[in-house]
Amino acid sequence: MDLSGMVRLGVLLLVAVAAASAQAQSQPSVTDLFKMVGLPSIPPLLSDILHRFDPAQIIDAVSNECGRDLQQWMNDGMAMAAASEECARGSLTGKSCSRATMQTVKDKNYAMMVLLSTGRPASLPDLSLSWWGNYPQCKAAKNEHFSTAYCFVHMSIDFNVVAGMAGRAIEGLKDQLPEMGRGKCSPNTPENLKFALCLPESCAKDQPRLYSLLSDRTGDALHVCSLECAGPKKEKDWFFWMVNSALLCLIGLTIFVSAIDYLAERKDQRDKELSTNRTPFERSHDDIRNTKLWMLLGPFSFYTNTSRIFAPHTSTTIKCLAPIRTITITWVIMGHSMLQEADSDNPLRFLDALDSFWNMIIFNAYPAVDTFFLFTGILVAYMLFRKIDDRPSLMTDYTMWALGYVHRFVRLTPAYIGFVLFVMAWLPQLHGPFTSGSFTNTTYMVQNCEEKLWMNLLYINNFDGMIESYTVTPILSQCYGVSWFLATDMQLFWISPLFLGALLYSGLAGFLVSLLAMVLSVAAGFYFHIHYDLPATSMTRKSLYSPNFNKYVYNKPWARLSPFLIGILLGYIIFRIRAGKLNIRRFFNPAVSLACWVVSFAIAASVIFGLYDNVRGAVDLTPLERASYFHIGKIGWALAVGWVILACELDVAGPIKPFLEHNFWAPLGRLTFCAYLVHWFVIHYFYDRMDRSAHFVSLWQSMLSSGLPITVLSFITAFFWSALVEAPCILLEKNFLIGYTEERKKSPEPTLMTYYPSPVNRDDKPPKTLDVQTINVQFYDDEEPAMRSVANTMSSAQTDSMRRYKEFQRRIMSFDDSPRQRYDDSPRQRQLSRM
């Protein structure tokens, strides 16, 4: 094809889709248009289409400014072609190019750079759906007439129309592609053809007349869905500067407070070295950290927050949760990273990776989310029962239950919503070539945040899909795609008192209520699965995604209730084991323990690998089978993971227990919440630093080249976000919400307190010793001197612990040793003893 033919083709490709989206009606597919660019000759089908276009008609269909720039580009291209032809002919006769001709070639060279930056298929056998051009070359095509923009046209192609035009040429391709919907041009779906163009910036605007012309001339075979250009999606407005100013102020406050904290700590250490009389717990009276102001400023100390993050396990934590959390969040990040590989320039090879049995570990990472719902149930139940065991009267304290909701909201919301605001400010500025040519275009996610952030604040954003139909990829139809988990988790927490209250009444009642709720939730899931004919999982060879799957099942609380309730029951069992109220260790001899481990491993393996034949397209499951896998499999997965936790508590985990309970996992476990928050942003940041699409080689290569770096970068980002935002909010809540409302209701550290009877009632009897960890002490004002005499014999830390004592269950023995009822034999106490 000569240069004039290339220019003609380039004009068509440049203007045929040179603008923003036009929402036409069709569903994406693929045709022989893959041979459009970069080949030595034009295929017959494309040649047939090209002859239907008149360049004059194309230029008339665009805006005046765009038409002017395109005409300039075409004229410069023709001038360069003529100059190049003159030089070529001169070289054959031994003549050199004139200076004017050489200058023309030099000045007009940008026209060829623009043309050669146009996208072309990377590999026809691999059915490339992303036709990438040359981003650096497009940006380097500078000229005095206009600046360039590197854009991707997202086009939908009607298979039926193209099949009629191409005959049997594409029949084989149809069988290799995932099953597609029909009837709508859905923007940013995996099956759209993404085609790169180097355009004048004036053409990167809406051109509806051109889109209509394209559709008409191709017999409705081709529809333009959207045009996405690399570069900031909007200017840096007041919101951008407000978010960044707030972040800078927070960083400045953190640096200031951290410096004060560090200097005060150094001074305290020097004072301790100089004075041998002071206990290790004392601070000087002039230490700023002893003031009320520090209650407000201290939580922002990066110095102290880092120490808390990297601190070892405490005695009250369930230690084996931290490593399982870490492994699970790594699994989630790897799985989400691989989603980007689905939009590589050779998607058929990516689909072929589904044929590998061991690749199911990544492709079927969806059970990982159920592990987090299990942990939520465990921690909610375990912490509540520990609290009520110290103070039984809290069972009917409605303030405590209300504060539980407040605590949960304060614990999650600042870090969560704060990061969403950061994403809203920065993602439009980081809109690079990869995002422009990807089906996971973040533009729609940010737009949804601007419109529906209130749903995230209320934790109901997972129901957004049921309110409105999806118009884009489901994960982008919400504000910050992965935030659905936080909404579902919060909704399950809202209803947790129903099951916790039943367990407080009796263990049997709690078990029966939980079992009934699981049966009802599974029944609801079966109804949605069968009624809407939903897949068993989100990704198979025949279905890359299903809008209804997310809309009715995947991110809904009724689909996640079973792992949550199993977690509540397990947390209750762990509490009773640690409190010495349940002894089941004797039932787990080596044989029984080994059998439990084998069954647990078999269940987990069946959940991960059970869909192998269905995912690779070898077997079609019935709706009942798909529903059974999805809903019953969640129960099996929760039981399998729950056994690992219980085995560590019962000390029947062998060498697994010391590995899981090692202090190495403690800081990583504390960072999992923030790692989940930030990893979706990190993924898009990582890929948007690329100037071309992903090229899929193998899953292992993708894990090493992208999955592993993204995971490490996510944890690093999570550390800073936790120290800057999450940890300060948690400490502020403790200092104010807990410090002022329940300051005298906190359990002391385990210690022995010796009470000396007052001199008035002294009968030379030996002093009485009370263990304040198990026997709560209550005293009246007239008994305070005696208590103070005890406090004076204790360290400052013990005094502070006693001053903040949160539970008074019994009165201290009177000074006259008169008989008193030492144990509460009330019905409520008997009820508590059944826990």
Side-chain angles (χ1 to χ4, degrees):
M1 181 169 59
D2 59 17
L3 185 59
S4 61
M6 292 181 63
V7 171
R8 180 184 176 87
L9 173 59
V11 171
L12 170 65
L13 296 179
L14 282 168
V15 299
V17 280
S21 60
Q23 303 288 333
Q25 301 291 319
S26 181
Q27 191 66 13
S29 185
V30 176
T31 70
D32 274 0
L33 294 175
F34 284 75
K35 302 176 182 178
M36 192 180 289
V37 181
L39 298 180
S41 62
I42 302 176
L45 174 62
L46 180 58
S47 178
D48 214 25
I49 295 176
L50 288 178
H51 282 94
R52 302 182 187 187
F53 289 90
D54 182 355
Q57 278 187 320
I58 295 175
I59 292 179
D60 288 341
V62 298
S63 65
N64 293 335
E65 187 179 1
C66 175
R68 184 183 66 248
D69 290 339
L70 285 175
Q71 186 67 58
Q72 181 66 52
W73 170 77
M74 186 168 61
N75 293 339
D76 289 345
M78 293 299 182
M80 180 189 172
S84 300
E85 184 179 4
E86 180 183 337
C87 287
R89 289 177 179 175
S91 64
L92 295 177
T93 60
K95 297 180 180 180
S96 61
C97 295
S98 65
R99 180 172 299 181
T101 303
M102 291 297 296
Q103 188 64 36
T104 299
V105 172
K106 180 179 180 181
D107 293 341
K108 311 302 183 182
N109 183 54
Y110 84 92
M112 183 60 69
M113 295 176 66
V114 168
L115 179 61
L116 295 181
S117 298
T118 302
R120 56 189 60 85
S123 174
L124 289 178
D126 287 333
L127 188 62
S128 174
L129 292 173
S130 297
W131 294 15
W132 280 73
N134 192 318
Y135 172 70
Q137 182 172 263
C138 178
K139 300 305 292 183
K142 300 184 182 300
N143 65 92
E144 60 183 8
H145 307 292
F146 55 81
S147 56
T148 56
Y150 186 74
C151 304
F152 276 87
V153 182
H154 294 250
M155 292 185 291
S156 164
I157 302 174
D158 191 319
F159 250 121
N160 297 324
V161 176
V162 175
M165 299 171 62
R168 298 180 180 179
I170 64 168
E171 290 299 323
L173 294 179
K174 293 174 65 175
D175 297 334
Q176 301 181 60
L177 292 173
E179 189 175 321
M180 303 176 190
R182 292 289 183 267
K184 285 190 176 180
C185 179
S186 180
N188 294 72
T189 58
E191 304 94 342
N192 276 350
L193 172 63
K194 281 77 66 175
F195 182 74
L197 290 174
C198 187
L199 298 170
E201 280 193 342
S202 58
C203 295
K205 299 175 183 177
D206 192 18
Q207 311 286 350
R209 290 177 55 199
L210 180 62
Y211 302 156
S212 299
L213 178 66
L214 179 65
S215 178
D216 293 341
R217 292 295 188 273
T218 59
D220 286 331
L222 196 64
H223 296 271
V224 177
C225 301
S226 65
L227 180 82
E228 298 291 340
C229 298
K233 293 299 293 181
K234 60 181 182 181
E235 295 182 357
K236 297 177 180 178
D237 54 7
W238 65 269
F239 178 78
F240 175 85
W241 295 114
M242 181 187 71
V243 170
N244 284 279
S245 297
L247 183 60
L248 289 175
C249 290
L250 178 61
I251 294 174
L253 176 63
T254 299
I255 295 174
F256 175 73
V257 174
S258 301
I260 294 177
D261 191 20
Y262 175 75
L263 294 175
E265 183 67 22
R266 290 292 302 271
K267 180 178 180 299
D268 196 46
Q269 291 293 335
R270 288 194 300 269
D271 291 344
K272 290 175 183 177
E273 293 174 359
L274 296 175
S275 175
T276 58
N277 296 326
R278 303 169 70 189
T279 66
F281 304 99
E282 285 185 339
R283 287 177 179 170
S284 59
H285 295 293
D286 59 347
D287 194 328
I288 190 175
R289 294 174 295 177
N290 290 332
T291 63
K292 290 186 177 181
L293 178 62
W294 193 253
M295 293 178 64
L296 179 63
L297 297 179
F300 294 95
S301 172
F302 193 88
Y303 175 72
T304 299
N305 291 339
T306 300
S307 301
R308 289 192 177 98
I309 292 174
F310 286 95
H313 290 295
T314 63
S315 58
T316 58
T317 58
I318 303 175
K319 298 179 181 179
C320 63
L321 295 186
I324 303 177
R325 270 182 182 152
T326 305
I327 295 171
T328 301
I329 193 61
T330 302
W331 196 12
V332 169
I333 296 173
M334 288 285 188
H336 284 162
S337 299
M338 293 304 103
L339 283 178
Q340 311 304 316
E341 302 290 330
D343 206 23
S344 61
D345 58 12
N346 52 344
L348 283 186
R349 183 175 295 183
F350 178 82
L351 291 177
D352 289 340
L354 296 174
D355 295 335
S356 172
F357 181 80
W358 295 109
N359 285 352
M360 289 293 294
I361 297 175
I362 295 297
F363 286 133
N364 195 22
Y366 301 103
V369 183
D370 294 313
T371 307
F372 288 121
F373 289 111
L374 175 75
F375 288 170
T376 299
I378 291 174
L379 294 175
V380 166
Y382 176 70
M383 299 303 294
L384 176 73
F385 289 122
R386 277 189 64 241
K387 192 172 186 178
I388 291 182
D389 187 53
D390 291 339
R391 188 186 180 198
S393 61
L394 287 176
M395 287 195 305
T396 58
D397 188 350
Y398 299 109
T399 302
M400 185 273 295
W401 293 96
L403 286 176
Y405 287 118
V406 174
H407 167 74
R408 184 75 174 179
F409 185 84
V410 175
R411 168 69 177 83
L412 300 179
T413 307
Y416 164 38
I417 297 300
F419 194 77
V420 171
L421 294 175
F422 174 82
V423 168
M424 291 171 60
W426 273 101
L427 268 188
Q429 307 300 322
L430 301 176
H431 195 271
F434 186 89
T435 295
S436 301
S438 169
F439 71 87
T440 55
N441 194 312
T442 56
T443 301
Y444 299 98
M445 185 172 67
V446 174
Q447 290 175 353
N448 201 280
C449 286
E450 293 173 348
E451 298 173 2
K452 300 177 182 178
L453 184 61
W454 62 272
M455 298 186 74
N456 293 65
L457 281 168
L458 297 179
Y459 290 92
I460 58 173
N461 49 291
N462 59 326
F463 284 94
D464 186 20
M466 298 192 73
I467 298 173
E468 298 178 4
S469 299
Y470 288 116
T471 58
V472 292
T473 307
I475 200 168
L476 298 176
S477 64
Q478 299 181 35
C479 172
Y480 203 57
V482 296
S483 63
W484 71 265
F485 167 80
L486 300 175
T488 305
D489 187 74
M490 181 65 80
Q491 291 157 16
L492 294 176
F493 177 79
W494 288 342
I495 64 174
S496 62
L498 298 176
F499 313 104
L500 297 171
L503 285 172
L504 285 170
Y505 180 78
S506 73
L508 179 60
F511 174 78
L512 293 177
V513 171
S514 300
L515 181 61
L516 176 61
M518 278 192 278
V519 171
L520 294 176
S521 68
V522 170
F526 267 72
Y527 167 77
F528 285 113
H529 241 100
I530 296 174
H531 181 72
Y532 293 101
D533 193 23
L534 302 178
T537 186
S538 293
M539 181 183 293
T540 67
R541 178 179 282 276
K542 295 186 176 182
S543 177
L544 288 182
Y545 73 95
S546 170
N548 283 338
F549 183 67
N550 282 53
K551 187 175 182 179
Y552 295 109
V553 173
Y554 184 76
N555 57 14
K556 299 303 180 286
W558 50 80
R560 307 292 179 171
L561 183 61
S562 297
F564 178 75
L565 292 180
I566 292 174
I568 284 182
L569 295 175
L570 182 57
Y572 171 72
I573 292 172
I574 292 174
F575 158 74
R576 288 182 60 85
I577 291 174
R578 290 193 172 188
K581 299 178 180 181
L582 181 65
N583 182 15
I584 59 174
R585 173 66 179 85
R586 62 183 183 276
F587 299 113
F588 291 92
N589 56 50
V592 174
S593 300
L594 180 60
C596 290
W597 276 105
V598 172
V599 172
S600 173
F601 180 81
I603 292 175
S606 64
V607 171
I608 296 175
F609 300 103
L611 283 182
Y612 171 61
D613 288 334
N614 178 251
V615 167
R616 67 191 181 99
V619 173
D620 289 329
L621 300 179
T622 65
L624 181 61
E625 290 172 334
R626 296 196 295 268
S628 299
Y629 169 83
F630 185 83
H631 298 284
I632 305 301
K634 293 185 180 303
I635 297 177
W637 180 263
L639 292 175
V641 177
W643 163 250
V644 177
I645 300 169
L646 183 61
C648 291
E649 288 297 317
L650 298 175
D651 200 18
V652 294
I656 297 178
K657 179 178 180 178
F659 172 75
L660 293 180
E661 295 186 350
H662 196 279
N663 285 326
F664 165 79
W665 299 105
L668 296 175
R670 295 186 183 103
L671 294 176
T672 52
F673 170 64
C674 284
Y676 183 83
L677 277 182
V678 307
H679 84 276
W680 192 245
F681 174 82
V682 171
I683 287 173
H684 288 282
Y685 176 82
F686 181 88
Y687 278 96
D688 257 334
R689 299 310 93 198
M690 301 167 59
D691 63 356
R692 55 182 55 90
S693 70
H695 182 78
F696 186 79
V697 177
S698 68
L699 196 63
W700 178 246
Q701 187 270 346
S702 297
M703 289 174 61
L704 292 179
S705 62
S706 59
L708 185 60
I710 288 173
T711 302
V712 174
L713 188 58
S714 295
F715 271 99
I716 294 174
T717 308
F719 163 71
F720 285 100
W721 193 253
S722 178
L724 282 172
V725 181
E726 183 192 23
C729 292
I730 293 174
L731 294 176
L732 284 173
E733 184 213 9
K734 288 182 178 180
N735 289 345
F736 291 94
L737 183 62
I738 297 178
Y740 283 115
T741 60
E742 297 188 3
E743 183 176 0
R744 294 185 176 274
K745 298 179 182 179
K746 300 186 74 174
S747 299
E749 297 294 330
T751 182
L752 290 178
M753 181 177 70
T754 303
Y755 168 69
Y756 297 94
S758 64
V760 177
N761 297 298
R762 185 178 300 242
D763 294 325
D764 296 327
K765 293 181 179 181
K768 299 169 182 177
T769 302
L770 305 177
D771 185 349
V772 299
Q773 184 181 15
T774 58
I775 300 179
N776 299 316
V777 179
Q778 182 177 359
F779 60 94
Y780 293 120
D781 291 339
D782 58 353
E783 299 166 353
E784 183 175 357
M787 298 299 294
R788 286 188 176 277
S789 67
V790 176
N792 290 334
T793 65
M794 302 167 67
S795 69
S796 61
Q798 292 169 321
T799 303
D800 180 70
S801 178
M802 186 171 64
R803 184 170 57 250
R804 296 187 299 114
Y805 204 97
K806 74 172 183 179
E807 176 58 34
F808 298 99
Q809 183 180 347
R810 295 178 179 83
R811 292 188 55 198
I812 196 169
M813 296 178 61
S814 66
F815 296 120
D816 58 4
D817 294 333
S818 60
R820 291 186 179 269
Q821 184 178 3
R822 290 178 174 268
Y823 299 97
D824 183 4
D825 196 31
S826 64
R828 188 167 300 283
Q829 179 63 29
R830 291 196 301 272
Q831 175 182 322
L832 182 63
S833 66
R834 295 198 297 267
M835 286 176 39

